[in-house]
Amino acid sequence: MADIAKDDELRRHVRDWLTDNIPPDLRRSRTYEDRLAVDRLLGEGGWLGYTWPTEFGGRGGTPREAIIVDDELARGGISAAGSPSRQGFRHLGPTLLVHGKDGQRQEFLPRIRNLSDIWCQGFSEPGAGSDLASVSTRAELVGDVFRLNGSKIWTTHAQYANWCYVLARTAPGPRHHNLTFLMVPMHQPGITVRPIKQLAGGTEFNEVWFDDAETSADNVIGELNDGWSIAVTTLSTERGFNLISHYRGYLEELGQMASRASAETDLIAIGDLYAQLLGIEAISARIMQALETSMLNDTALASGGKLVNTEFHQRMTEIALGLSVNSPGLAGEAFITFLEARAETIYGGTSQIQRNILAERVLGLPR
Ligand SMILES: Cc1cc2nc3c(=O)[nH]c(=O)nc-3n(C[C@H](O)[C@H](O)[C@H](O)COP(=O)(O)OP(=O)(O)OC[C@H]3O[C@@H](n4cnc5c(N)ncnc54)[C@H](O)[C@@H]3O)c2cc1C
């Protein structure tokens, strides 16, 4: 049973800590350097990896508490998206907690939490995006190291990261088999990173080339040739857990839209968005419930939640862009948010792929 008074106390604690420690302008900044500074402050304050066991530098908090923390951070202007620590502490960390060996947890989790390591995700390839199981980057075991050859694409923050978790083919054979989940150090001669210019103007993601890049055989998460099941855990976490704090961000954006709407038609559109947002809040509450008992392994919630959230945000940013025409000062900001929302239905698996997953794996419809 939820203890509302305890929840409220935690909320107040996070708010007071934010007021005392992170200036509002820094919280809302979009530059990588500022985001990193914010993450470092959050790490020092003990807010990253809140649910992780204390032996790995976490606070041993409950998922419910972690969500309250996320919610308050989002309310204070710190969004989970774009955070430099995201791949480490939101995606790889939970994967290590479930599938990592003790030594790997002891070595990597504290370094993720104190931001000594910045991670990137090496899943997508030019010929393997939606169809992730067809990755062709090879990793060959030579003595006690893996030697990697191939390329990845759309690798967010690869230019800053010192580690990458990579899905690579370790033996020929059926698509979902013979893939291995490897942790690979980025700073070595066999790795080349080339930034890609994005629609919204930045260069957040990159191409990454492996030419005889090496990593220790100790850096396999899970078993050799069983990387697919590990990647599924990572993707499920990416789709589900992160969605909750998005709700708060959407609510903030909607509030800003309402404050500059004047025409009756605008207000009707905003009312309609608010009704949809209440549905998203209900889904977020269900995800919170699922997380109370285990890591998010509910496909319907993870895929359904991602689909509903990201498509809602696109509709909202389209309407916000229309409203901003009457407030020229806001047009630039609304346009960037509109462009950024385009990416949300792509990363972590496109909307079409989420619909396929729901149809096949949840509803059992024929392929
Ligand atoms: C901002 C951003 C950041 C990203 N960061 C990372 C990262 O850090 N690491 C990483 O590994 N990847 C990252 N990605 C890549 C992302 O995961 C892929 O773009 C995504 O999985 C889609 O793959 P694709 O681009 O190859 O498109 P494709 O797979 O070529 O798909 C093209 C179109 O065809 C549709 N389609 C494909 N297959 C099917 C099907 N079976 N049924 C119906 N429709 C289908 C898709 O929905 C899409 O509309 C990022 C992407 C973006 C936009």
Side-chain angles (χ1 to χ4, degrees), residues 39-203:
D39 277 356
R40 286 200 190 288
L41 290 168
L42 291 175
E44 284 162 21
W47 304 114
L48 299 185
Y50 196 82
T51 54
W52 297 5
T54 45
E55 60 181 304
F56 304 131
R59 297 255 285 243
T62 64
R64 181 180 185 85
E65 288 168 341
I67 288 160
I68 288 171
V69 170
D70 263 7
D71 192 34
E72 285 304 321
L73 294 181
R75 193 200 291 265
I78 300 174
S79 91
S83 144
S85 69
R86 183 182 65 216
Q87 287 297 347
F89 115 85
R90 290 189 183 271
H91 304 161
L92 183 69
T95 307
L96 275 171
L97 282 169
V98 175
H99 297 288
K101 299 171 188 78
D102 274 351
Q104 291 173 333
R105 293 196 197 115
Q106 263 143 20
E107 180 179 353
F108 289 104
L109 289 175
R111 296 178 60 81
I112 290 174
R113 226 201 56 77
N114 67 21
L115 276 95
S116 308
D117 291 335
I118 299 289
W119 284 84
C120 59
Q121 179 188 78
F123 282 179
S124 306
E125 297 182 2
S130 300
D131 187 15
L132 185 58
S134 56
V135 295
S136 61
T137 291
R138 283 171 293 113
E140 188 191 352
L141 190 56
V142 183
D144 56 2
V145 296
F146 282 96
R147 200 161 284 160
L148 283 88
N149 282 284
S151 69
K152 297 288 174 180
I153 194 163
W154 319 125
T155 320
T156 304
H157 293 162
Q159 69 271 53
Y160 307 113
N162 59 331
W163 282 91
C164 185
Y165 57 89
V166 174
L167 193 61
R169 193 158 293 285
T170 28
R175 289 158 27 84
H176 295 82
H177 303 275
N178 301 330
L179 296 170
T180 299
F181 197 107
L182 290 163
M183 298 183 286
V184 180
M186 289 293 283
H187 298 156
Q188 55 169 310
I191 295 187
T192 309
V193 175
R194 292 190 196 132
I196 301 171
K197 184 94 173 161
Q198 283 166 257
L199 190 67
T203 47

